[in-house]
Amino acid sequence: MNAKLIFGLYVILAVVQLAVPFGQIRKYEDILTTGAVYKLRTAPVDPYDAFRGRYVALNYAGTEAPLRKGERLENRSTAYVALRRDGNGFAQFVELSGEPPLEGDYLRVQYFSMNAIGEDVPSFRLPYDKFFMEEAQAPQAEAAYRKHVKRSGDKDSGTYVVMRVKAGRGVIEELYIGNKPVRDMLKKEGARGKP
Amino acid sequence: MADTSHVRWLYRELPDLVAQGVLEAQAAERLRRHYGDPDMAGSTAKRWAVVLFSIVGAVLIGGGVILLLAHNWDELSRPMRALISIAPLALTAALGAWVLLARTQSTAWREGVGAAQTLAVGASIALVAQTYNLGGRFDEFMLTWSLLALPAAYLLAATLPALLYLMGIMVWAGSVTYHPGSSLWYFPLLAAVLPFLWWSGRANRYHPRPVLLAWMLAITACFGTGFAVERVCEELGARPVVFGGLCVLLYLCGARWWKAAPSVLQRPLQNVGALSAVGLSLVLSYSDGWSGVASSAVNWHSVSSLQDGLQLAAAALVTLAALVVWVRSFRRRVWSEVMLGAVSFLVCAGWIIAGMGDQAVISAFVFNLYLAVLGIGTLVTGLRGRRLGTVNAGMAVLAAAILCRFFDSDLSFVVRGVAFIVIGIGFLSINLVLLRQRQEVQP
């Protein structure tokens, strides 16, 4: 192959390689600016996944929803869950389907034919299972998250994420622990700990 | 490759040998041509050391930059952090363009930049995902990374992107086994890298680059093929059939294309194929090794969709290809290939027998017999040719088969202990005898 052709192809490759992360940045910035706001209640994480280091491992409460009538999905396949907001702004999972709903907000998820305790109940996994923080803060935040979620149970722990949703994609805006943004909570706890 | 100090010694001796009439001048010249210039061999090794250091250096610097970026600096705004995540990729892309313009002939530059660019692609996607708290799906990440890295292998003629690609598509296939239609894409993805392997070995297939690629190909193909046809293998209990076929295919292809390899390390396909075939045979020498094949477990009805049909066709193709190559070895009467290649035929026969009303014991017995024949056959071939490596391989197969049976049975510790000692003495004495014979031939 001649050198000019190789160089031309390489330039195309470099553009494509750069376009992928750049396209992601544009898409997620757009979601954070124009996406619909939902709160998602979190749940305790698997204790065996305890040490994460750089992020808070998240799990979500109530990740079960009925399948759209007449539909059958392959276990672990890609699915879409339709969303509805309750009075407090928390997301309710309405229905699962292999196709995105024509109206309303929805999230792209992974479908499971059984729920977490092995019952034959359609459930799903949200892919937003990490909240990244600075390495010094992340372990403290994770410990606080675990403490609050366990202490208060699933419903009223005040531990949730605020997410922006658009066209099936979601981006976490903030993690709340004890109804406070996680960084504010850590600052407050740090100040309280000082002599 | 011959040791250069030995070559230098031989070159010092050649004039005397020619003068004393031991060797003809033409023969001496042929020897010189065969071994080449020992000084050149040294400089080739040095060049490769430079290339290796450039790859290691690029990977270390790239890794360090990624770790710095992964700190997730809270002081910077989110879009700023995201843009900085792309910076290493932009830098390595610019470096790659410069290398193609100004350093095309430098293997060290091409390999170094290729390695750094491959890391930068994965890091930029992962760091952007981290900036926006996207857990994401690992299979999608691996596939995107691998596909974006592979063209760099072709355009920069760099090895690391191709190595990463082979590893990446295997990991991807492993994470989509639940979806038979997706995992089958492993084969077209694998085909995309094969021209690079052929191209890198077309001048010298024993060169470190094609050898390294072939090692990675052999190891990842064993797992990748298993993942690609996982569902059909599971439902039909056909895992041993497909794996046996693949081992034989690797071994026989290696025996054909890497036949004159000067060292064991330069025979990647043969080594992986032979070791896997013997390992599989040892597993199948137990009745439990056929547990998934019992007629009650084979579920033909579950293979109903188009994707399942395609998986079945792919599995059958691997098995058939192995059988065809084995039959060709049979016709050419290359008995070492015929002996090891028999695994593909026996595993098919064993699968049919075990499936006919729970006859796993018969299939296991066939494989015990096969291991004994393979071990003794290899041992005899080695003894006839006075090849110590082949003798030891035959002894190792026999010893492994015997040890497996001993762990399987209820024999006392005393009997097992005596048997181990006898096998050990057998090993040592045959090796001693052969070494002595070799010393007698080369005083």
Side-chain angles (χ1 to χ4, degrees), chain B residues 187-265:
Chain B
F187 295 114
L189 289 170
L190 183 65
V193 75
L194 295 181
F196 182 72
L197 183 62
W198 170 82
W199 175 81
S200 61
R202 75 191 193 291
N204 176 11
R205 65 189 61 170
Y206 305 109
H207 191 271
R209 182 193 284 166
V211 168
L212 193 61
L213 284 165
W215 270 105
M216 187 61 97
L217 171 77
I219 293 167
T220 55
C222 283
F223 291 99
T225 306
F227 293 145
V229 293
E230 164 76 15
R231 195 178 134 84
V232 162
C233 284
E234 180 70 36
E235 297 296 344
L236 303 183
R239 211 169 272 133
V241 179
V242 178
F243 189 62
L246 187 71
C247 297
V248 169
L249 208 56
L250 285 174
Y251 178 77
L252 295 182
C253 289
R256 184 156 302 174
W257 291 316
W258 273 272
K259 199 175 186 175
S263 74
V264 178
L265 276 176

Side-chain angles (χ1 to χ4, degrees), chain B residues 109-139:
Chain B
W109 269 108
R110 282 190 278 103
E111 291 282 2
V113 171
Q117 191 171 1
T118 303
L119 274 184
V121 172
S124 63
I125 300 172
L127 288 169
V128 168
Q130 172 178 313
T131 307
Y132 292 95
N133 297 307
L134 303 164
R137 278 170 59 170
F138 185 64
D139 54 317

Side-chain angles (χ1 to χ4, degrees), chain B residues 42-67:
Chain B
S43 68
T44 307
K46 274 177 205 154
R47 270 209 307 276
W48 267 97
V50 172
V51 170
L52 269 179
F53 281 126
S54 74
I55 295 176
V56 173
V59 169
L60 284 174
I61 294 170
V65 173
I66 291 160
L67 284 174

Side-chain angles (χ1 to χ4, degrees), chain A residues 22 25, chain B residues 78-88 128:
Chain A
F22 194 72
I25 293 174
Chain B
R78 195 183 49 236
M80 183 56 76
R81 266 184 283 153
L83 283 173
I84 290 176
S85 304
I86 304 181
V128 168

Side-chain angles (χ1 to χ4, degrees), chain A residues 10 17 29 54 132 134-135, chain B residues 71 117 130 132-133 148:
Chain A
Y10 184 79
Q17 283 183 341
E29 280 298 325
R54 295 180 301 112
F132 287 91
E134 265 194 16
E135 28 183 358
Chain B
H71 176 71
Q117 191 171 1
Q130 172 178 313
Y132 292 95
N133 297 307
L148 287 174

